[in-house]
Amino acid sequence: MLHYLLVFLISMVPLVELRGAIPIAVGMGLDYFPALVVCVLGNMLPVPIIYFFARKFLVWASDKRYIGAFCRVCLRKGEAAGHKIRSKAGRGGVFVALLLFVGIPIPGTGAWTGTLAASFLDLGIKTTAAAVSLGVILAGLLLGIASTGVFQIMGG
């Protein structure tokens, strides 16, 4: 049970998220599907907070002495991600573009960045939550396949 709690907490951490938690869960020998559910829940827990408050906080803090530079970087990253999603989406494809942005596990494209980008795109919370949830599940499945294969190869 403690191992599941650990991967739940790891999946909530920005930049690491589910992308780090799934390989750790597989490496610890946890059952994959229960670990996937736990990691998806942990990765999704911060989404409403990010959606409603992160952009406002970053704007407010962008001129503060100690954290301003970091907040400005986060704002630029969120705006850039929003523009990237919008440009790749074309007409009406923002949902799918956001889902794929979150779901393809490459650095900087997780639930945190995707949700921040969605807030810049002014997508509704329901659309954001649905697209990000499906993207997180997709990322978890892809990472599970990759992690299981890697650990099987390493184990002989």
Side-chain angles (χ1 to χ4, degrees), residues 55-72:
R55 183 173 163 191
K56 292 174 184 170
F57 172 79
L58 293 171
V59 169
W60 171 82
S62 64
D63 64 349
K64 302 302 181 243
R65 183 175 185 181
Y66 297 107
I67 60 173
F70 174 75
C71 291
R72 287 189 297 276

Side-chain angles (χ1 to χ4, degrees), residues 6-89:
L6 179 63
V7 294
F8 177 81
L9 295 173
I10 290 170
S11 67
M12 292 174 59
V13 175
L15 301 174
V16 177
E17 301 184 37
L18 173 127
R19 290 150 169 72
I22 291 289
I24 290 170
V26 170
M28 289 192 294
L30 298 179
D31 289 332
Y32 171 69
F33 286 107
L36 175 64
V37 170
V38 167
C39 291
V40 167
L41 292 173
N43 203 178
M44 290 304 298
L45 190 63
V47 165
I49 297 163
I50 297 164
Y51 183 84
F52 289 115
F53 301 111
R55 183 173 163 191
K56 292 174 184 170
F57 172 79
L58 293 171
V59 169
W60 171 82
S62 64
D63 64 349
K64 302 302 181 243
R65 183 175 185 181
Y66 297 107
I67 60 173
F70 174 75
C71 291
R72 287 189 297 276
V73 168
C74 290
L75 281 169
R76 281 194 298 270
K77 188 172 182 81
E79 288 174 2
H83 290 302
K84 182 177 180 179
I85 291 168
R86 178 76 71 199
S87 69
K88 292 196 182 276

Side-chain angles (χ1 to χ4, degrees), residues 85-144:
I85 291 168
R86 178 76 71 199
S87 69
K88 292 196 182 276
R91 278 188 173 180
V94 175
F95 181 89
V96 172
L98 180 58
L99 184 156
L100 293 174
F101 179 84
V102 173
I104 298 173
I106 57 177
T109 64
W112 283 71
T113 307
T115 303
L116 185 59
S119 75
F120 280 99
L121 293 170
D122 293 321
L123 296 179
I125 185 63
K126 290 179 184 177
T127 301
T128 298
V132 171
S133 295
L134 292 172
V136 167
I137 292 167
L138 174 61
L141 292 172
L142 293 172
L143 286 161

